Amino acid sequence: MLPSWGSSAGVLAKESKAAGAALSIIPPTKMLAEWAPILLRGLYERNVRRQYCPSSLWLEPFLATEATQEGHFSAGAVVRALNQGPTTLVTSLSLGRGPGGWPGAHAGLLGTAPQCIPFEQRLLVFRALVAADKERGRWDKPPSEGGPAPLKFTVHRSSLLQGGWAALHKAGPAVKSRLMVSFVNEQGMLEAGLDYGGLVKEFLEQAISTGFDANYGLFTSTSDGLAYPQPAATKIPNGLGLLEFLGLVVGKALYEGILLDLPLAPFFVARLQGRRPMFDELSALDPEVYRSLVQLKGYEGDATDLCLDFSIEDDTFGARTVHSLLPGGAHMAVTNANKLHYIHLAADWHLNGRLGASSAAFARGLAQVIPSEWLKLFNTQEVNQLLGGGESAALDVTDMAAHAQYSGGYSQTHPTIKIFWKVLAGLSDKEQKAFMRFVTSCSRAPLGGFQYLNPPLTVHKVPCEASLLALVGGKDVDRLPSASTCYNMLKLPNYRRATTLKEKLLYAVTSNAGFELS
């Protein structure tokens, strides 16, 4: 538990400030202590976008602590060290002694230069922070054990996003507690069903799918398919409210470890981390504008010949608006003397001014569940892995089998189950990813292994008749597998032969057969 901070969100924030304060007793180094971590993080983020040095270089401070047995990393101990407060952490980082010992040193690194700790360890710290937050708020406890009452709400499938907003937009951090959702179908009938986590997963996925659909008007994407808020979303009725709600929903999915196939643009992730995206990140948002500004920077002629001024014209729904980058900017010419100032102001307007209100709304909702300081533990690419799982080419089928659950009469020793795991292991990487998307709605495995998949992967038996000679070439089961992605459940008929199982499974996962064709 983290009682002394009121919220573990403030731990890393105060830790970061403490890193500079620890050296402030030496006045000449005060500015260095304050700005060096910012400069180092900027260099690191540039290396993420385009690598210019070995990845191992960033890990040298951590490797120094791991050089001794005393420096062994413990996520729980690091979170406890963070909870002890900002006391001489820079000193403990350099000496490995003092308050918190090596965990204190690791906590100091996380607060000032998290990129110096390997991703796997930072992931463990993130999960330890979530676990500590759940324990402190008793969010995962039933009321009989002192936990809060579950949030019960009903939504119509035809207006799921608006209905979800109406039910939850005022919930705030209470959305961390257990949700109990009921659906009303298109005929106006309340759908029967018990929610063991699957209906909540379905609600979160459907709300995000609807809200991030470009046709809805709240989000758009880069040429690489990376999502970011639509600047014009501010003109949509309740657009900012819906964006804040979507941030809350994405935060809930992250909090519960539910995978989302939702790659976000790096400049948008920077805003979610509480950082201000800089000029270099404009290339992901608008490559054409970025190239134009780079050309202006290197222009050797007289900049006044280009007839530019300190204003930018924007077009929203056919309405043209002029935005001044400086007071009276429309009457201020861009010259060789001020063109660098113009370049940075123009990039800042595109990245922060134009996207500011919509990005801030989403960030507000997300921060009610996942504080920005937690996201600062990761670079922009790693945040997307946190959302959607690892980038490994092949699935670890052995790990998947070790953490799978069975129902309907299946067990680990059932003949069909033995055939299934053998067939799955023999599929190509592309086919395995198609299988994952078919069962879980996300093509990637959870970070750290299938022990973190929520809900756990379940293989359910679908009893089907087959010829007594099915094992030796007779007619086997003809039914297709199906899936309930909201429960991460594969509904697998009891095939007798591996050839039949592989044929039916591949047909189902590559043609989106699902339940309807089974």
Side-chain angles (χ1 to χ4, degrees), residues 153 326 332 446:
F153 61 101
L326 289 173
M332 187 181 301

Side-chain angles (χ1 to χ4, degrees), residues 388-470:
E391 296 180 341
S392 175
L395 293 178
D396 188 342
V397 177
T398 301
D399 179 61
M400 187 190 301
H403 296 95
Q405 298 182 0
Y406 304 97
S407 63
Y410 276 149
S411 68
Q412 193 173 10
T413 58
H414 193 283
T416 301
I417 292 300
K418 292 181 178 180
I419 294 173
F420 166 71
W421 292 119
K422 184 176 180 179
V423 166
L424 187 61
L427 299 182
S428 67
D429 296 342
K430 182 178 180 180
E431 290 166 343
Q432 288 180 348
K433 289 185 176 181
F435 168 80
M436 278 296 295
R437 181 179 292 278
F438 178 73
V439 177
T440 69
S441 75
C442 185
S443 61
R444 294 176 296 277
L447 292 172
F450 281 88
Q451 62 178 312
Y452 296 108
L453 185 65
N454 183 27
L457 179 71
T458 301
V459 185
H460 179 78
K461 182 179 180 180
V462 181
C464 297
E465 297 295 330
S467 168
L468 295 175
L469 301 177

Side-chain angles (χ1 to χ4, degrees), residues 190-207:
L190 188 66
E191 296 180 6
L194 298 176
D195 189 356
Y196 295 103
L199 295 184
V200 170
K201 179 174 182 282
E202 181 181 4
F203 166 73
L204 297 178
E205 289 178 340
Q206 291 298 317

Side-chain angles (χ1 to χ4, degrees), residues 308-395:
L308 297 174
D309 57 55
F310 278 76
S311 66
I312 290 180
E313 197 173 77
D314 187 29
D315 190 330
T316 303
F317 298 135
R320 302 177 75 84
T321 308
V322 176
H323 300 271
S324 293
L325 301 178
L326 289 173
H331 306 290
M332 187 181 301
V334 175
T335 66
N336 289 345
N338 63 22
K339 67 179 182 180
L340 285 181
H341 192 199
Y342 168 78
I343 289 169
H344 285 282
L345 287 177
D348 184 72
W349 181 83
H350 282 283
L351 288 165
N352 300 297
R354 189 164 180 258
L355 297 176
S358 52
S359 293
F362 187 94
R364 281 196 303 273
L366 179 66
Q368 294 184 68
V369 187
I370 302 293
S372 62
E373 296 298 331
W374 293 6
L375 294 181
K376 283 182 183 177
L377 295 175
F378 309 99
N379 64 43
T380 54
Q381 294 178 5
E382 290 167 345
V383 169
N384 277 330
Q385 290 187 54
L386 202 64
L387 278 169
E391 296 180 341
S392 175
L395 293 178

Side-chain angles (χ1 to χ4, degrees), residues 165 211 217-219 228-230 233-234 238-249 268 357-366:
W165 173 83
L218 296 175
F219 273 82
Y228 66 94
Q230 171 68 258
T234 57
N238 195 33
L240 292 180
L242 290 173
L243 283 169
E244 185 170 345
F245 169 67
L246 285 171
L248 191 74
V249 168
F268 177 45
S358 52
S359 293
F362 187 94
R364 281 196 303 273
L366 179 66

